[in-house]
Amino acid sequence: MGKAVGTFLIAILSAVLAIVGYKFFEGDSAQSGNFNNKTNAAGMPVASSAGNPDFVPAAASVTPAVVHIKTEYAGEQTSRNPIYEMFGMPQQSTPVQGSGSGVLISKDGYIVTNNHVIDRASGIEVVLPDRRTFQAKLIGTDPSTDLALLKVEGRDLPAVPLGDSDKVQVGEWVLAVGYPLTLNSTVTAGIVSAKGRSIGILNRPSQGGYVDPAQTANTAIESFIQTDAAINPGNSGGALVNTSGQLIGINTAIASQTGSYAGYGFAIPVNLMQKVVGDIREFGRVRRGFLGVNFPVPAVEDQLLRSRGIDPGKVKGVYIMGVQPGSGAEKAGIKEGDIIQGIDGTGVNTSAELSERIARHYPGDKVELALLQDGKQRKVTVTLQGEEEETPTDIAAKGLEARLGASFAPLTDRMKQQYRLNEGVYVTKVQPGGFFDSAGIPEGTVVARINGRPVSSLTDISKSLAASRSGMVRIDGVTPDGTAFVFNFPLGA
């Protein structure tokens, strides 16, 4: 009898604990839950940052407006056929084709993608997820940010709503949508790993660890959103969206040693994209204001600061290496050695952040800078200048030889064959104390590209240097021992 009662009591207690436990975990789930009945202005559920978000609504909303971009090029490639070779028959030639992604941003057919996705294409085809196909017209490009704007003729097309990349936070859940590896529409998830990231991808050939660079970019405005959402070649130009289905970036590149996803992807912030696209639609080109200061390229910033006896850890902001004569910065009293710590009330910690903020402005715009000058905090207002007033043009006119402390000559046919290059120049003389001398670049070094543009003469060099608007020059080349290199040095921004 006693044993039966004890068993009965244990059974009741177990049932109570099960009910209490269930309610506890049910309540915990409701607190951290997937959407908690919260919605945004469009009525779409918003994920809570406290738990696991449900990506289904965002993916369903965005996917119809992310398109597959297929490009064709005027040249042809020959496909090898061993049977044809055996009998000495002509090889088959097929058109050169490419593939990428794009994002519909308006119902009347405007599409944003990367410049390198459509660069030099003779034909651009856009395929929607519902299999509708359009021939796209190229409206304009901006190699400086690796953006391009296309237009297809259509009405009531799906479009992705635009978010605010300034409000994006590290650790926030995001989705990447695109057409990787020529697959159909693909959605992956991750978090924002970093903001304001400069990786030296623009103006760089597609080798050495980064994928999908802009081959012909002539400036480098980089302030990427970094994410660990899986993207691969073909994702370029696709959408990076938040859990509300809002576009916060255009996927552009991956960091990889193999050419495939290895953990990090990079996207152009949507706020910068809106300014670029708006300019292209209104003016046919991008209009930018220039501050007129020089600062170190992020990759060599610490090295340059230490060479001046400055502890990089004590620089809270962007250290100014020089001020261009006649620029808005000089007129406002900015000096070499000043540290820019904020612009229009927003703090800046890196040159990438400063470049992006300035790139959103027009010639004639006034910006307020927070400076640390001579150990004292001060604020100055700078009127940005336009291209026609920009001093890098004057610097370019002086020629690359004087700027770099080196003389150049076109590659000989033997050197082209040796280095497997179609174009390039080589260094015939290095001036003591010049940039090449201090950087350890010896005579005989081959320069293949400047600012992403192939060079084969002094005229090409002058044009490539004159195209620099971002405050730095990128040089791609090969040392006499066959080692490939990339060097950056600041001109101004």
Side-chain angles (χ1 to χ4, degrees):
M1 179 68 178
K3 184 177 181 181
V5 172
T7 302
F8 178 72
L9 291 174
I10 291 174
I12 293 176
L13 180 61
S14 298
V16 171
L17 289 174
I19 293 172
V20 172
Y22 172 77
K23 290 299 182 182
F24 171 77
F25 288 112
E26 183 181 54
D28 184 60
S29 176
Q31 288 177 358
S32 63
N34 292 337
F35 281 94
N36 297 331
N37 298 320
K38 295 179 180 179
T39 59
N40 62 12
M44 181 175 293
V46 179
S48 166
S49 62
N52 297 321
D54 181 357
F55 299 122
V56 174
S61 172
V62 171
T63 300
V66 179
V67 302
H68 193 184
I69 295 179
K70 299 180 179 181
T71 51
E72 195 165 292
Y73 300 86
E76 293 186 340
Q77 61 183 1
T78 301
S79 56
R80 295 184 59 189
N81 188 316
I83 297 178
Y84 283 23
E85 291 179 351
M86 183 182 300
F87 294 99
M89 298 172 64
Q91 299 295 304
Q92 292 180 323
S93 295
T94 57
V96 179
Q97 296 180 329
S99 177
S101 306
V103 182
L104 276 159
I105 59 169
S106 69
K107 292 183 179 295
D108 58 349
Y110 281 99
I111 298 170
V112 176
T113 185
N114 287 139
N115 176 61
H116 73 262
V117 169
I118 52 80
D119 186 34
R120 302 181 185 179
S122 57
I124 304 172
E125 183 182 68
V126 170
V127 183
L128 271 63
D130 62 10
R131 298 186 180 181
R132 282 184 290 174
T133 301
F134 300 87
Q135 293 300 313
K137 177 183 178 182
L138 178 61
I139 303 301
T141 65
D142 180 40
S144 302
T145 52
D146 195 21
L147 288 170
L149 182 65
L150 309 177
K151 178 71 166 64
V152 297
E153 294 304 321
R155 292 188 300 176
D156 296 324
L157 296 172
V160 179
L162 304 184
D164 185 350
S165 53
D166 287 347
K167 294 181 179 179
V168 172
Q169 300 181 49
V170 174
E172 178 178 341
W173 282 104
V174 289
L175 299 179
V177 188
Y179 292 79
L181 307 173
T182 68
L183 297 173
N184 288 334
S185 180
T186 300
V187 180
T188 57
I191 63 169
V192 174
S193 306
K195 294 179 63 179
R197 186 71 85 201
S198 175
I199 59 174
I201 190 72
L202 300 185
N203 303 330
R204 179 175 182 169
S206 55
Q207 59 185 5
Y210 289 103
V211 178
D212 284 340
Q215 295 294 327
T216 58
N218 54 22
T219 35
I221 298 171
E222 295 188 4
S223 187
F224 294 124
I225 299 171
Q226 179 180 315
T227 174
D228 63 359
I231 60 175
N232 279 287
N235 271 113
S236 290
L240 186 71
V241 301
N242 58 24
T243 52
S244 296
Q246 297 171 330
L247 185 69
I248 60 170
I250 301 296
N251 293 318
T252 298
I254 62 177
S256 172
Q257 298 297 325
T258 64
S260 297
Y261 175 71
Y264 300 105
F266 302 92
I268 300 164
V270 71
N271 289 9
L272 178 60
M273 180 275 286
Q274 289 186 74
K275 196 271 182 186
V276 170
V277 168
D279 279 9
I280 292 175
R281 290 184 65 172
E282 185 173 355
F283 309 113
R285 63 184 182 88
V286 179
R287 298 178 59 212
R288 288 194 177 91
F290 295 96
L291 183 59
V293 297
N294 301 341
F295 43 73
V297 177
V300 296
E301 182 173 7
D302 288 1
Q303 177 185 347
L304 288 176
L305 290 175
R306 288 193 179 98
S307 70
R308 294 190 172 201
I310 301 168
D311 180 0
K314 295 182 179 179
V315 177
K316 307 301 181 184
V318 180
Y319 187 89
I320 302 305
M321 304 288 287
V323 179
Q324 296 164 12
S327 66
E330 184 189 54
K331 294 174 182 177
I334 298 176
K335 303 182 298 183
E336 179 179 345
D338 289 353
I339 299 175
I340 297 177
Q341 298 180 320
I343 174 172
D344 292 332
T346 300
V348 293
N349 297 310
T350 67
S351 57
E353 294 174 348
L354 177 62
S355 293
E356 187 208 347
R357 291 281 174 176
I358 294 296
R360 298 185 195 179
H361 289 277
Y362 292 93
D365 283 357
K366 297 181 184 296
V367 296
E368 184 182 72
L369 301 180
L371 293 179
L372 181 63
Q373 187 176 79
D374 299 327
K376 298 179 180 179
Q377 302 281 349
R378 62 173 300 213
K379 292 184 178 181
V380 298
T381 299
V382 181
T383 301
L384 304 180
Q385 297 179 346
E387 289 187 30
E388 66 279 359
E389 302 170 294
E390 186 59 12
T391 52
T393 303
D394 301 327
I395 297 173
K398 299 176 182 178
L400 186 63
E401 292 181 334
R403 182 72 172 122
L404 297 184
S407 299
F408 304 90
L411 290 182
T412 64
D413 291 338
R414 182 185 64 80
M415 295 177 75
K416 289 180 180 179
Q417 185 176 7
Q418 175 185 352
Y419 294 107
R420 298 181 179 180
L421 293 172
N422 295 323
E423 299 173 283
V425 296
Y426 71 99
V427 180
T428 59
K429 186 176 181 180
V430 176
Q431 300 292 337
F435 175 78
F436 271 32
D437 181 44
S438 61
I441 302 177
E443 293 181 5
T445 295
V446 172
V447 176
R449 288 172 177 263
I450 296 178
N451 289 332
R453 297 182 173 187
V455 294
S456 57
S457 66
L458 292 179
T459 300
D460 291 341
I461 293 173
S462 179
K463 290 180 179 179
S464 296
L465 183 60
S468 296
R469 300 291 183 195
S470 66
M472 67 179 180
V473 169
R474 176 178 289 275
I475 299 175
D476 299 88
V478 184
T479 58
D481 64 1
T483 302
F485 69 87
V486 178
F487 275 103
N488 296 282
F489 70 96
L491 269 181

